Amino acid sequence: MIKLVRELVEPVMVAAFEGWNDAGEAASLAVEHLSNQWEAYELCALTPDDYYDFQVTRPRMTVVDGLVSEVEWPTTRVRVASPPEVDHDVVLVTGPEPNLRWRSYIADLMAIARELGVKRVVMLGSLLADAPHTRPIPVTGMASPVELGTRHGLDPTTYSGPTGIVGVAHKMFSSVGLETVSLWAAIPHYVAQPPCPKATLALLAWLEDFLDVRVPLGELPDEAVSWESNVDELTAEDEEISSYVRGLEEAKDTAELPEASGDAIAEEFERYLRRRDDN
């Protein structure tokens, strides 16, 4: 039984998992950003022994003055945030992707969602892709029902291949009737090291639509500009990488040229207005 300070109001669950699903740590940092900006409090944590192989996902130790002061076990934490000026709460889920018993793990999260009254789950992920760092970070995804994604401008995707906990969770959550959304940011693979604030910003921009709330961005826009500037400098030092990036830019611009129509621009502007309306 979860002990709540108060009954939650129409909570939406937002989840991100470190590891395979979290290139550049863009997804997990997005949830951490929400937790910090909205001063979330911890509600509960899953028992780590049930889902983690500690030889794969190792605990962390802190030593102070020759004494072990703390051993932090890998686990999944559930926090609650109450964004100001909106009439619903947000349940934040973060933790490393589990090593063991994925179906039982997701069943635990589903039980928590059910007890809290969650009707919609939004999962964030990030992956490495042939994407130029100089262009907007592409965000793709899927929603169940499909109409939910279409309503917010999310084009249906087609994919067949390996998946992580996000894909399995999406299937299991949607199978019990929860509105389920997965959003994936594409990280330029030649700058895969974390953090990638530009990708975190891209995920938060889409998340605003599905949370129906304006997300305070804090220092993220400045960090994204600095990140892009630093990558510019790094790529400029190597002509081979610079040439590769120019090729990615040309391919990206050519692929998007047919979409640069008045209708497409109007649709994107309407998305922006929806996010900023009533704020």
Side-chain angles (χ1 to χ4, degrees):
M1 179 66 69
I2 298 174
K3 294 183 179 180
L4 288 168
V5 175
R6 59 171 176 79
E7 185 175 352
L8 301 187
V9 178
E10 298 182 0
V12 178
M13 179 177 282
V14 179
F17 305 93
E18 302 159 17
W20 192 88
N21 311 267
D22 194 25
E25 298 179 359
S28 58
L29 288 177
V31 175
E32 290 301 322
H33 178 83
L34 296 179
S35 179
N36 293 332
Q37 292 293 317
W38 290 334
E39 299 180 348
Y41 65 90
E42 186 167 319
L43 187 63
C44 63
L46 301 189
T47 304
D49 302 66
D50 292 341
Y51 302 117
Y52 294 100
D53 178 345
F54 298 134
Q55 290 183 320
V56 178
T57 307
R58 291 187 176 271
R60 298 178 61 87
M61 182 177 70
T62 301
V63 178
V64 179
D65 295 330
L67 298 175
V68 177
S69 64
E70 182 182 8
V71 174
E72 182 180 354
W73 297 92
T75 190
T76 298
R77 304 187 185 280
V78 180
R79 289 170 285 185
V80 173
S82 301
E85 301 179 4
V86 294
D87 56 359
H88 64 82
D89 295 295
V90 179
V91 178
L92 303 173
V93 178
T94 52
E97 181 181 64
N99 309 117
L100 309 167
R101 293 183 283 275
W102 281 17
R103 285 176 289 189
S104 296
Y105 174 87
I106 298 168
D108 278 356
L109 292 181
M110 289 170 60
I112 292 171
R114 188 179 304 111
E115 187 170 348
L116 297 178
V118 169
K119 297 293 191 299
R120 177 180 295 180
V121 179
V122 183
M123 287 173 291
L124 306 180
S126 46
L127 49 84
L128 300 180
D130 293 330
H133 71 280
T134 53
R135 299 295 186 265
I137 295 290
V139 174
T140 57
M142 56 184 176
S144 179
V146 174
E147 293 76 20
L148 172 62
T150 303
R151 190 161 65 245
H152 291 286
L154 186 65
D155 294 328
T157 59
T158 299
Y159 172 77
S160 178
T163 188
I165 195 67
V166 169
V168 177
H170 186 108
K171 174 63 175 176
M172 291 183 67
F173 275 115
S174 62
S175 69
V176 297
L178 290 176
E179 292 184 340
T180 308
V181 180
S182 299
L183 300 172
W184 288 84
I187 308 291
H189 67 84
Y190 54 91
V191 280
Q193 65 273 19
C196 184
K198 187 173 181 178
T200 295
L201 270 179
L203 286 172
L204 291 175
W206 276 90
L207 185 60
E208 284 186 327
D209 281 2
F210 291 99
L211 291 183
D212 193 26
V213 60
R214 184 175 181 179
V215 173
L217 299 179
E219 302 297 321
L220 270 177
D222 291 338
E223 293 172 2
V225 171
S226 178
W227 175 85
E228 185 168 335
S229 177
N230 290 337
V231 177
D232 284 341
E233 293 179 6
L234 289 173
T235 55
E237 295 173 358
D238 189 314
E239 179 54 37
E240 185 175 347
I241 295 179
S242 295
S243 177
Y244 176 70
V245 172
R246 287 194 295 271
L248 291 179
E249 291 171 339
E250 292 171 2
K252 176 75 171 176
D253 295 343
T254 300
E256 292 187 345
L257 185 61
E259 300 176 6
S261 63
D263 290 343
I265 294 172
E267 181 179 346
E268 179 60 27
F269 186 60
E270 288 174 2
R271 284 191 65 251
Y272 174 83
L273 292 179
R274 283 201 303 272
R275 293 200 301 268
R276 291 300 182 264
D277 195 26
D278 298 326
N279 288 286

